Amino acid sequence: ALQDVDFLDAGFLSPYNIAGAKFSPSGSLFFIPEAPINGVPLAKSIDVFDVHRQRLALQIALPEPLVTGLNAMCLDDTGSKIFALSQSGITIAQLAFVPLSIASVSPSEASAGTAISIRGSGFQNGAQILLNSIPVQTTYVDANTLRATIPAGLTGPIQVLVTNPDGGSYKYDDAFTVQ
């Protein structure tokens, strides 16, 4: 069952939730093995939280419990493959999709004509970026990085909207500032 738990303040489960947890390579997603309850190692799922929105983005069911008390999980460089120590060996989970999310835009302050990098997760080749609703030429670097150049006429806090070719989109208000 999905729980509405703020991963930064998970109450009595906090010490267990952080053990073995991993950030995606871009830092936009936080992967947390299911917490033991009353010391019973259940860990048959991994919750994936969107760091910016602080919401559950995905829950991954595992075929068997993970080994508890160890740092039993690691991710590949895209966050799409999970390697976990399970009770009978290694479980490899290949995600059908990585949740679309944005972690950061750099630089955080820029001017027109400056190239920006958007780091996140789940970007697809052909993704498009809108800056304050203005479409900009987008360069797909990899599943975690997009690049664009700030057009003339933008000032102040900038909203970034990334839209993948499959129709998924992600909005980040006040992602950076144009001077």
Side-chain angles (χ1 to χ4, degrees), residues 9-167:
D9 183 20
F12 75 95
L13 295 176
S14 291
Y16 300 107
N17 279 350
I18 301 304
K22 299 283 184 269
F23 282 99
S24 64
S26 69
S28 67
L29 299 173
F30 193 48
F31 292 71
I32 305 172
E34 181 181 6
I37 297 187
N38 297 327
V40 177
L42 298 174
K44 284 190 71 172
S45 69
I46 297 170
D47 292 337
V48 182
F49 285 90
D50 177 322
V51 173
H52 173 69
R53 293 183 177 158
Q54 296 187 15
R55 292 187 185 152
L56 185 65
L58 181 65
Q59 189 170 52
I60 304 160
L62 301 172
E64 63 180 336
L66 299 181
V67 173
T68 58
L70 295 173
N71 192 356
M73 180 177 62
C74 66
L75 307 170
D76 72 348
D77 61 351
T78 64
S80 66
K81 192 176 284 188
I82 301 168
F83 302 88
L85 294 175
S86 58
Q87 293 182 342
S88 66
I90 295 178
T91 296
I92 301 172
Q94 175 67 51
L95 303 183
F97 71 96
V98 176
L100 182 59
S101 59
I102 297 174
S104 63
V105 177
S106 62
S108 60
E109 292 185 10
S111 56
T114 302
I116 58 169
S117 289
I118 299 170
R119 294 281 292 157
S121 298
F123 300 148
Q124 297 172 352
N125 196 2
Q128 294 296 308
I129 297 171
L130 278 80
L131 302 178
N132 283 1
S133 302
I134 298 170
V136 295
Q137 184 169 345
T138 305
T139 302
Y140 172 86
V141 177
D142 58 39
N144 300 322
T145 310
L146 298 174
R147 291 209 174 99
T149 300
I150 301 169
L154 289 177
T155 59
I158 304 299
Q159 177 194 76
V160 174
L161 175 68
V162 172
T163 303
N164 276 333
D166 69 3

